[in-house]
Amino acid sequence: MTKTVTGTYESANQIRNARNDLIAIGIPQEQIYIDEENQQIKVMIADETEPEIEDILKQHDASSTNVTTN
């Protein structure tokens, strides 16, 4: 089962930095979606990587995070 972790930000720079960190830990670019209109980054992941992804999004001051099951 996969999940989508969504982080909402106040700036494009925060999103860019979070994306770079996600790629640095091995998340494939194809699993990262940037929603510029809503200032969000969405990451499709397996269950076991959820806590690590949420930590990275929070490190970049996400104003909110949300996890949905696909």
Side-chain angles (χ1 to χ4, degrees):
M1 185 178 328
T2 61
K3 293 185 177 184
T4 301
V5 181
T6 303
T8 303
Y9 293 92
E10 294 182 16
S11 78
N13 193 43
Q14 290 173 304
I15 293 170
R16 199 169 23 258
N17 289 338
R19 179 183 176 277
N20 289 341
D21 280 357
L22 291 166
I23 292 169
I25 65 161
I27 302 299
Q29 293 182 41
E30 299 80 26
Q31 291 178 245
I32 303 170
Y33 173 73
I34 306 294
D35 180 349
E36 293 177 7
E37 183 177 328
N38 293 311
Q39 297 272 23
Q40 293 179 328
I41 186 168
K42 299 179 182 189
V43 187
M44 292 185 266
I45 56 159
D47 286 343
E48 63 273 2
T49 57
E50 177 190 333
E52 186 175 15
I53 301 303
E54 283 189 277
D55 285 345
I56 288 173
L57 296 181
K58 289 175 183 176
Q59 285 174 8
H60 293 281
D61 299 322
S63 57
S64 68
T65 58
N66 182 36
V67 179
T68 55
T69 303
N70 303 337

